[in-house]
Amino acid sequence: MHFVVKFFPEITIKSNPVRKRMSRQLKENLRRLLRAVDERIKVRQDWEKIDVSVPDGEAHLGERVEEVLAHTPGIANFARVQQFPLVDLHDIYEKTASIWGKALAGKTFCVRVKRTGQHDFSSLDVEQYVGGGLNQHFDSAGVKLKHPDITVRMEIRKDTVNVIEQQHKGLGGFPLGTQEAVVSLVSGGFDSTVASYLTVKRGIRTHFCFFNLGGRAHELGVKEIAFYLWNKFGSSHRVQFITVPFDGVVAEILENVDDSHMGVILKRMMLRAATEVANEYNVDALVTGEAVAQVSSQTLRNLSVIDRATDMLVLRPLATSDKNDIIRTAREIGAEDFAANIPEYCGVISVRPTTKAKLERVLEEENNFDFSVLDRAIEERVAQNIDEVMEDVLHEHQEVRVSSSVPAGAVIIDIRHPTDEEINPLEMDGIEVQAIPFYRLSTAAQELDKDRSYLLYCDKGVMSQLHASHLADAGYVNFSVYRPEK
């Protein structure tokens, strides 16, 4: 099995040294990610593409490879191809017919060819020869050059023919590791989640900084969504999750700052703390999920005043985005249900917040603030590797049984996101498998037969263990975790 990966167009228009660096980084990222799928997968790079080769006889790995390719920044598109040595036009036709012939029944089609190298035929010659043969020997609805039902695509590169079976859109953006790192201020809601995703997509190694305003459940929820983002789109590079205890800062603001300026000053305190975190990791920019005029603290005047709390660059990927667009992006990346169900905690809500803060007035209000409280919060921050935060989440819940086998009569519940479950469905002979996404599990559990045993399944066993623990905390005793032996 073979895949051809095409670079995002913005990579191909870079200068030669930059293009080489970016394409080499993408190759290394894919090697690292695909090694976790199967160590025998080969990744090779040339000037125009990356080739991914899966060992013969391992067709079951195809969907998992596609999952990696679809969520790795830097890829414009990728195709699953069948690869043959170039012989002649008739051999090209026969190879193409063996792949596409039966699929053309009752369908209009056309043939499209891209060719690189010196040959005694043109791309049009191949299209006409192969298209004519397919039309003559198979029960199609005829050739249609514009808007056909099926487009048969192939690429001829020197002495190799690639007949494309399936083509998929990639994530775009730049490969992770080609840009400098940032620290993203995250709350777990739609805005900060999508903003963090956009920086990862742009090839920016994104650390997560969470300000705990007093809610442990909120912290655990944010860790869960940060892990999801990293695991889905950025796991080629390790990042940090930093928790800053901000309940004391909130209390100080509530006691000593005028109601109308509490929101602006809270944001300024967050930027000050995030700047200290960024300096520790030698990072030059911060990221927030703020969008202009979405709430009172995000007017242009207020954002300008907020930014003056730091000399560090503050990036706002969503600055001009509509809320509906932000929610739609969260849905597309599989994070909508995370964000919608995050347990919120807000300790600073102004009754009449200012929309036109003046720096002089803000500084006057901050003179009443005890900055030793902020210093203490910064000192007490806790940093964890992102791949370890789920262990912290799990420690908050009851221990659950993990099994590599399925007891007689038990049901396996596949809790993966529907997209993942559809790409690589779990099928087991003689065992009932139900697909219930993790975000619907707590509700669905109320309707399940309490006399039956259920085993939760996910790809890595982390999410399944977390949600089995959630159910155990809620009093359900008939749930455990299914983790098959590799």
Side-chain angles (χ1 to χ4, degrees), residues 241-279:
F241 186 98
I242 302 98
T243 300
V244 184
F246 239 52
D247 48 337
V249 174
V250 169
E252 183 70 15
I253 290 174
L254 288 170
E255 291 178 6
N256 296 304
V257 172
D258 182 77
D259 178 89
S260 62
H261 286 71
M262 290 194 301
V264 169
I265 290 177
L266 176 62
K267 293 288 186 67
R268 283 168 59 88
M269 297 300 172
M270 288 180 174
L271 285 191
R272 289 185 173 106
T275 299
E276 294 298 320
V277 171
N279 286 333

mmCIF file of all heavy atoms in Angstrom, residues 241-279:
data_model
loop_
_atom_site.group_PDB
_atom_site.id
_atom_site.type_symbol
_atom_site.label_atom_id
_atom_site.label_comp_id
_atom_site.label_asym_id
_atom_site.label_seq_id
_atom_site.Cartn_x
_atom_site.Cartn_y
_atom_site.Cartn_z
ATOM 1 N N PHE A 241 1.770 21.885 29.628
ATOM 2 C CA PHE A 241 0.503 22.420 30.133
ATOM 3 C C PHE A 241 0.818 23.052 31.479
ATOM 4 O O PHE A 241 1.253 22.367 32.411
ATOM 5 C CB PHE A 241 -0.548 21.319 30.288
ATOM 6 C CG PHE A 241 -1.913 21.835 30.678
ATOM 7 C CD1 PHE A 241 -2.890 22.030 29.712
ATOM 8 C CD2 PHE A 241 -2.210 22.138 32.009
ATOM 9 C CE1 PHE A 241 -4.138 22.512 30.062
ATOM 10 C CE2 PHE A 241 -3.458 22.624 32.361
ATOM 11 C CZ PHE A 241 -4.426 22.808 31.386
ATOM 12 N N ILE A 242 0.598 24.359 31.568
ATOM 13 C CA ILE A 242 0.943 25.093 32.786
ATOM 14 C C ILE A 242 -0.335 25.581 33.463
ATOM 15 O O ILE A 242 -1.174 26.230 32.819
ATOM 16 C CB ILE A 242 1.849 26.307 32.469
ATOM 17 C CG1 ILE A 242 3.137 25.847 31.763
ATOM 18 C CG2 ILE A 242 2.186 27.077 33.740
ATOM 19 C CD1 ILE A 242 3.121 25.980 30.268
ATOM 20 N N THR A 243 -0.499 25.248 34.718
ATOM 21 C CA THR A 243 -1.638 25.717 35.505
ATOM 22 C C THR A 243 -1.160 26.800 36.473
ATOM 23 O O THR A 243 -0.221 26.580 37.244
ATOM 24 C CB THR A 243 -2.275 24.571 36.299
ATOM 25 O OG1 THR A 243 -2.731 23.557 35.392
ATOM 26 C CG2 THR A 243 -3.453 25.066 37.120
ATOM 27 N N VAL A 244 -1.805 27.955 36.411
ATOM 28 C CA VAL A 244 -1.487 29.053 37.322
ATOM 29 C C VAL A 244 -2.681 29.255 38.257
ATOM 30 O O VAL A 244 -3.786 29.547 37.790
ATOM 31 C CB VAL A 244 -1.211 30.362 36.561
ATOM 32 C CG1 VAL A 244 -0.789 31.461 37.532
ATOM 33 C CG2 VAL A 244 -0.136 30.144 35.495
ATOM 34 N N PRO A 245 -2.503 29.069 39.574
ATOM 35 C CA PRO A 245 -3.632 29.255 40.508
ATOM 36 C C PRO A 245 -4.000 30.727 40.618
ATOM 37 O O PRO A 245 -3.220 31.524 41.135
ATOM 38 C CB PRO A 245 -3.081 28.707 41.828
ATOM 39 C CG PRO A 245 -1.596 28.879 41.719
ATOM 40 C CD PRO A 245 -1.250 28.712 40.269
ATOM 41 N N PHE A 246 -5.185 31.080 40.146
ATOM 42 C CA PHE A 246 -5.542 32.491 40.057
ATOM 43 C C PHE A 246 -6.693 32.875 40.973
ATOM 44 O O PHE A 246 -7.211 33.995 40.865
ATOM 45 C CB PHE A 246 -5.905 32.840 38.599
ATOM 46 C CG PHE A 246 -5.033 33.916 38.007
ATOM 47 C CD1 PHE A 246 -3.663 33.817 38.058
ATOM 48 C CD2 PHE A 246 -5.591 35.025 37.373
ATOM 49 C CE1 PHE A 246 -2.850 34.789 37.517
ATOM 50 C CE2 PHE A 246 -4.792 36.014 36.827
ATOM 51 C CZ PHE A 246 -3.418 35.902 36.896
ATOM 52 N N ASP A 247 -7.097 31.982 41.876
ATOM 53 C CA ASP A 247 -8.208 32.326 42.759
ATOM 54 C C ASP A 247 -7.843 33.487 43.681
ATOM 55 O O ASP A 247 -8.681 34.360 43.976
ATOM 56 C CB ASP A 247 -8.665 31.111 43.562
ATOM 57 C CG ASP A 247 -7.507 30.368 44.214
ATOM 58 O OD1 ASP A 247 -6.379 30.498 43.715
ATOM 59 O OD2 ASP A 247 -7.738 29.660 45.199
ATOM 60 N N GLY A 248 -6.586 33.544 44.139
ATOM 61 C CA GLY A 248 -6.154 34.654 44.983
ATOM 62 C C GLY A 248 -6.155 35.970 44.228
ATOM 63 O O GLY A 248 -6.507 37.026 44.783
ATOM 64 N N VAL A 249 -5.757 35.932 42.969
ATOM 65 C CA VAL A 249 -5.765 37.140 42.142
ATOM 66 C C VAL A 249 -7.196 37.639 41.963
ATOM 67 O O VAL A 249 -7.471 38.843 42.042
ATOM 68 C CB VAL A 249 -5.109 36.855 40.776
ATOM 69 C CG1 VAL A 249 -5.246 38.062 39.847
ATOM 70 C CG2 VAL A 249 -3.633 36.487 40.959
ATOM 71 N N VAL A 250 -8.115 36.700 41.713
ATOM 72 C CA VAL A 250 -9.525 37.067 41.559
ATOM 73 C C VAL A 250 -10.042 37.727 42.836
ATOM 74 O O VAL A 250 -10.731 38.763 42.796
ATOM 75 C CB VAL A 250 -10.371 35.830 41.206
ATOM 76 C CG1 VAL A 250 -11.860 36.141 41.303
ATOM 77 C CG2 VAL A 250 -10.025 35.339 39.804
ATOM 78 N N ALA A 251 -9.723 37.135 43.987
ATOM 79 C CA ALA A 251 -10.181 37.699 45.262
ATOM 80 C C ALA A 251 -9.638 39.110 45.467
ATOM 81 O O ALA A 251 -10.360 40.011 45.922
ATOM 82 C CB ALA A 251 -9.751 36.788 46.410
ATOM 83 N N GLU A 252 -8.383 39.323 45.123
ATOM 84 C CA GLU A 252 -7.775 40.642 45.275
ATOM 85 C C GLU A 252 -8.459 41.666 44.366
ATOM 86 O O GLU A 252 -8.695 42.819 44.766
ATOM 87 C CB GLU A 252 -6.282 40.555 44.948
ATOM 88 C CG GLU A 252 -5.502 41.842 45.132
ATOM 89 C CD GLU A 252 -5.350 42.236 46.596
ATOM 90 O OE1 GLU A 252 -5.583 41.386 47.484
ATOM 91 O OE2 GLU A 252 -5.001 43.407 46.843
ATOM 92 N N ILE A 253 -8.781 41.255 43.147
ATOM 93 C CA ILE A 253 -9.480 42.155 42.224
ATOM 94 C C ILE A 253 -10.871 42.495 42.753
ATOM 95 O O ILE A 253 -11.305 43.658 42.741
ATOM 96 C CB ILE A 253 -9.567 41.523 40.821
ATOM 97 C CG1 ILE A 253 -8.179 41.481 40.175
ATOM 98 C CG2 ILE A 253 -10.537 42.288 39.928
ATOM 99 C CD1 ILE A 253 -8.130 40.757 38.845
ATOM 100 N N LEU A 254 -11.587 41.488 43.227
ATOM 101 C CA LEU A 254 -12.942 41.716 43.738
ATOM 102 C C LEU A 254 -12.950 42.679 44.923
ATOM 103 O O LEU A 254 -13.876 43.475 45.092
ATOM 104 C CB LEU A 254 -13.570 40.386 44.143
ATOM 105 C CG LEU A 254 -13.982 39.456 42.993
ATOM 106 C CD1 LEU A 254 -14.361 38.086 43.528
ATOM 107 C CD2 LEU A 254 -15.130 40.042 42.190
ATOM 108 N N GLU A 255 -11.919 42.624 45.725
ATOM 109 C CA GLU A 255 -11.874 43.449 46.939
ATOM 110 C C GLU A 255 -11.371 44.859 46.689
ATOM 111 O O GLU A 255 -11.789 45.805 47.383
ATOM 112 C CB GLU A 255 -10.981 42.770 47.989
ATOM 113 C CG GLU A 255 -11.567 41.485 48.558
ATOM 114 C CD GLU A 255 -10.621 40.824 49.552
ATOM 115 O OE1 GLU A 255 -9.585 41.443 49.869
ATOM 116 O OE2 GLU A 255 -10.909 39.710 49.993
ATOM 117 N N ASN A 256 -10.485 45.037 45.692
ATOM 118 C CA ASN A 256 -9.771 46.308 45.611
ATOM 119 C C ASN A 256 -9.866 47.030 44.274
ATOM 120 O O ASN A 256 -9.250 48.094 44.112
ATOM 121 C CB ASN A 256 -8.288 46.085 45.929
ATOM 122 C CG ASN A 256 -8.077 45.598 47.351
ATOM 123 O OD1 ASN A 256 -8.506 46.258 48.304
ATOM 124 N ND2 ASN A 256 -7.439 44.450 47.500
ATOM 125 N N VAL A 257 -10.602 46.492 43.316
ATOM 126 C CA VAL A 257 -10.707 47.120 42.002
ATOM 127 C C VAL A 257 -12.157 47.510 41.749
ATOM 128 O O VAL A 257 -13.078 46.755 42.074
ATOM 129 C CB VAL A 257 -10.209 46.156 40.897
ATOM 130 C CG1 VAL A 257 -10.507 46.724 39.517
ATOM 131 C CG2 VAL A 257 -8.713 45.912 41.048
ATOM 132 N N ASP A 258 -12.349 48.678 41.157
ATOM 133 C CA ASP A 258 -13.701 49.138 40.831
ATOM 134 C C ASP A 258 -14.378 48.155 39.883
ATOM 135 O O ASP A 258 -13.758 47.597 38.972
ATOM 136 C CB ASP A 258 -13.627 50.518 40.174
ATOM 137 C CG ASP A 258 -14.999 51.075 39.860
ATOM 138 O OD1 ASP A 258 -15.670 51.555 40.787
ATOM 139 O OD2 ASP A 258 -15.400 50.995 38.678
ATOM 140 N N ASP A 259 -15.674 47.959 40.109
ATOM 141 C CA ASP A 259 -16.450 46.963 39.358
ATOM 142 C C ASP A 259 -16.289 47.122 37.849
ATOM 143 O O ASP A 259 -16.135 46.128 37.128
ATOM 144 C CB ASP A 259 -17.927 47.095 39.749
ATOM 145 C CG ASP A 259 -18.812 46.125 38.986
ATOM 146 O OD1 ASP A 259 -18.998 45.000 39.474
ATOM 147 O OD2 ASP A 259 -19.282 46.480 37.882
ATOM 148 N N SER A 260 -16.315 48.320 37.352
ATOM 149 C CA SER A 260 -16.309 48.545 35.904
ATOM 150 C C SER A 260 -15.004 48.131 35.239
ATOM 151 O O SER A 260 -14.962 47.906 34.031
ATOM 152 C CB SER A 260 -16.588 50.020 35.599
ATOM 153 O OG SER A 260 -15.562 50.841 36.144
ATOM 154 N N HIS A 261 -13.918 48.028 36.011
ATOM 155 C CA HIS A 261 -12.606 47.736 35.436
ATOM 156 C C HIS A 261 -12.079 46.343 35.797
ATOM 157 O O HIS A 261 -10.949 46.005 35.446
ATOM 158 C CB HIS A 261 -11.592 48.793 35.881
ATOM 159 C CG HIS A 261 -11.756 50.110 35.193
ATOM 160 N ND1 HIS A 261 -12.816 50.951 35.435
ATOM 161 C CD2 HIS A 261 -11.004 50.726 34.239
ATOM 162 C CE1 HIS A 261 -12.714 52.028 34.680
ATOM 163 N NE2 HIS A 261 -11.612 51.923 33.944
ATOM 164 N N MET A 262 -12.906 45.530 36.448
ATOM 165 C CA MET A 262 -12.408 44.225 36.904
ATOM 166 C C MET A 262 -12.000 43.322 35.747
ATOM 167 O O MET A 262 -10.951 42.663 35.786
ATOM 168 C CB MET A 262 -13.465 43.537 37.775
ATOM 169 C CG MET A 262 -13.690 44.187 39.120
ATOM 170 S SD MET A 262 -14.631 43.153 40.266
ATOM 171 C CE MET A 262 -16.150 42.923 39.357
ATOM 172 N N GLY A 263 -12.823 43.269 34.690
ATOM 173 C CA GLY A 263 -12.522 42.378 33.573
ATOM 174 C C GLY A 263 -11.239 42.742 32.864
ATOM 175 O O GLY A 263 -10.408 41.876 32.550
ATOM 176 N N VAL A 264 -11.045 44.014 32.594
ATOM 177 C CA VAL A 264 -9.832 44.470 31.913
ATOM 178 C C VAL A 264 -8.599 44.180 32.761
ATOM 179 O O VAL A 264 -7.571 43.689 32.257
ATOM 180 C CB VAL A 264 -9.940 45.977 31.594
ATOM 181 C CG1 VAL A 264 -8.590 46.524 31.125
ATOM 182 C CG2 VAL A 264 -10.994 46.215 30.530
ATOM 183 N N ILE A 265 -8.686 44.453 34.041
ATOM 184 C CA ILE A 265 -7.519 44.245 34.910
ATOM 185 C C ILE A 265 -7.226 42.767 35.091
ATOM 186 O O ILE A 265 -6.056 42.355 35.145
ATOM 187 C CB ILE A 265 -7.734 44.973 36.259
ATOM 188 C CG1 ILE A 265 -7.664 46.488 36.024
ATOM 189 C CG2 ILE A 265 -6.714 44.528 37.303
ATOM 190 C CD1 ILE A 265 -7.920 47.330 37.246
ATOM 191 N N LEU A 266 -8.248 41.935 35.139
ATOM 192 C CA LEU A 266 -8.005 40.492 35.203
ATOM 193 C C LEU A 266 -7.224 40.023 33.974
ATOM 194 O O LEU A 266 -6.261 39.253 34.094
ATOM 195 C CB LEU A 266 -9.324 39.735 35.311
ATOM 196 C CG LEU A 266 -9.210 38.202 35.282
ATOM 197 C CD1 LEU A 266 -8.402 37.701 36.478
ATOM 198 C CD2 LEU A 266 -10.584 37.547 35.265
ATOM 199 N N LYS A 267 -7.613 40.512 32.792
ATOM 200 C CA LYS A 267 -6.893 40.126 31.574
ATOM 201 C C LYS A 267 -5.444 40.632 31.612
ATOM 202 O O LYS A 267 -4.520 39.936 31.159
ATOM 203 C CB LYS A 267 -7.612 40.694 30.340
ATOM 204 C CG LYS A 267 -8.981 40.092 30.077
ATOM 205 C CD LYS A 267 -8.870 38.665 29.574
ATOM 206 C CE LYS A 267 -10.220 38.093 29.178
ATOM 207 N NZ LYS A 267 -10.813 38.742 27.993
ATOM 208 N N ARG A 268 -5.238 41.801 32.150
ATOM 209 C CA ARG A 268 -3.876 42.324 32.255
ATOM 210 C C ARG A 268 -3.030 41.474 33.201
ATOM 211 O O ARG A 268 -1.848 41.202 32.939
ATOM 212 C CB ARG A 268 -3.902 43.777 32.728
ATOM 213 C CG ARG A 268 -4.299 44.761 31.635
ATOM 214 C CD ARG A 268 -4.589 46.144 32.187
ATOM 215 N NE ARG A 268 -3.450 46.730 32.905
ATOM 216 C CZ ARG A 268 -2.476 47.453 32.347
ATOM 217 N NH1 ARG A 268 -2.496 47.678 31.034
ATOM 218 N NH2 ARG A 268 -1.498 47.981 33.079
ATOM 219 N N MET A 269 -3.633 41.017 34.287
ATOM 220 C CA MET A 269 -2.907 40.151 35.219
ATOM 221 C C MET A 269 -2.551 38.825 34.551
ATOM 222 O O MET A 269 -1.462 38.272 34.755
ATOM 223 C CB MET A 269 -3.739 39.912 36.479
ATOM 224 C CG MET A 269 -4.025 41.163 37.292
ATOM 225 S SD MET A 269 -2.506 41.975 37.868
ATOM 226 C CE MET A 269 -3.189 43.502 38.552
ATOM 227 N N MET A 270 -3.477 38.317 33.742
ATOM 228 C CA MET A 270 -3.202 37.068 33.025
ATOM 229 C C MET A 270 -2.050 37.241 32.047
ATOM 230 O O MET A 270 -1.169 36.367 31.938
ATOM 231 C CB MET A 270 -4.457 36.601 32.292
ATOM 232 C CG MET A 270 -5.546 36.062 33.199
ATOM 233 S SD MET A 270 -7.012 35.539 32.254
ATOM 234 C CE MET A 270 -7.989 34.793 33.574
ATOM 235 N N LEU A 271 -2.018 38.367 31.331
ATOM 236 C CA LEU A 271 -0.921 38.599 30.397
ATOM 237 C C LEU A 271 0.410 38.716 31.123
ATOM 238 O O LEU A 271 1.443 38.222 30.641
ATOM 239 C CB LEU A 271 -1.174 39.855 29.574
ATOM 240 C CG LEU A 271 -2.210 39.777 28.454
ATOM 241 C CD1 LEU A 271 -2.137 41.027 27.573
ATOM 242 C CD2 LEU A 271 -2.010 38.531 27.588
ATOM 243 N N ARG A 272 0.397 39.373 32.287
ATOM 244 C CA ARG A 272 1.642 39.476 33.063
ATOM 245 C C ARG A 272 2.148 38.089 33.471
ATOM 246 O O ARG A 272 3.335 37.776 33.347
ATOM 247 C CB ARG A 272 1.413 40.340 34.292
ATOM 248 C CG ARG A 272 1.221 41.831 34.011
ATOM 249 C CD ARG A 272 1.116 42.612 35.312
ATOM 250 N NE ARG A 272 1.090 44.054 35.084
ATOM 251 C CZ ARG A 272 -0.006 44.801 35.195
ATOM 252 N NH1 ARG A 272 -1.155 44.241 35.544
ATOM 253 N NH2 ARG A 272 0.057 46.099 34.984
ATOM 254 N N ALA A 273 1.243 37.264 33.959
ATOM 255 C CA ALA A 273 1.641 35.922 34.391
ATOM 256 C C ALA A 273 2.086 35.081 33.204
ATOM 257 O O ALA A 273 3.103 34.363 33.271
ATOM 258 C CB ALA A 273 0.478 35.243 35.119
ATOM 259 N N ALA A 274 1.338 35.158 32.102
ATOM 260 C CA ALA A 274 1.697 34.384 30.913
ATOM 261 C C ALA A 274 3.045 34.825 30.351
ATOM 262 O O ALA A 274 3.805 34.004 29.807
ATOM 263 C CB ALA A 274 0.608 34.528 29.853
ATOM 264 N N THR A 275 3.364 36.098 30.493
ATOM 265 C CA THR A 275 4.667 36.588 30.044
ATOM 266 C C THR A 275 5.795 35.938 30.824
ATOM 267 O O THR A 275 6.827 35.550 30.248
ATOM 268 C CB THR A 275 4.725 38.118 30.189
ATOM 269 O OG1 THR A 275 3.714 38.715 29.363
ATOM 270 C CG2 THR A 275 6.097 38.649 29.777
ATOM 271 N N GLU A 276 5.611 35.796 32.131
ATOM 272 C CA GLU A 276 6.627 35.112 32.942
ATOM 273 C C GLU A 276 6.784 33.659 32.511
ATOM 274 O O GLU A 276 7.897 33.122 32.433
ATOM 275 C CB GLU A 276 6.244 35.186 34.418
ATOM 276 C CG GLU A 276 6.265 36.582 35.000
ATOM 277 C CD GLU A 276 7.652 37.195 34.958
ATOM 278 O OE1 GLU A 276 8.630 36.462 35.230
ATOM 279 O OE2 GLU A 276 7.773 38.397 34.645
ATOM 280 N N VAL A 277 5.663 33.004 32.247
ATOM 281 C CA VAL A 277 5.712 31.608 31.767
ATOM 282 C C VAL A 277 6.450 31.540 30.432
ATOM 283 O O VAL A 277 7.325 30.686 30.218
ATOM 284 C CB VAL A 277 4.289 31.046 31.624
ATOM 285 C CG1 VAL A 277 4.321 29.682 30.927
ATOM 286 C CG2 VAL A 277 3.618 30.923 32.992
ATOM 287 N N ALA A 278 6.102 32.446 29.510
ATOM 288 C CA ALA A 278 6.732 32.448 28.193
ATOM 289 C C ALA A 278 8.229 32.693 28.290
ATOM 290 O O ALA A 278 9.026 32.069 27.580
ATOM 291 C CB ALA A 278 6.066 33.500 27.308
ATOM 292 N N ASN A 279 8.627 33.604 29.161
ATOM 293 C CA ASN A 279 10.055 33.873 29.321
ATOM 294 C C ASN A 279 10.803 32.636 29.813
ATOM 295 O O ASN A 279 11.943 32.386 29.406
ATOM 296 C CB ASN A 279 10.261 35.032 30.294
ATOM 297 C CG ASN A 279 9.915 36.376 29.678
ATOM 298 O OD1 ASN A 279 10.008 36.551 28.458
ATOM 299 N ND2 ASN A 279 9.512 37.332 30.504
#
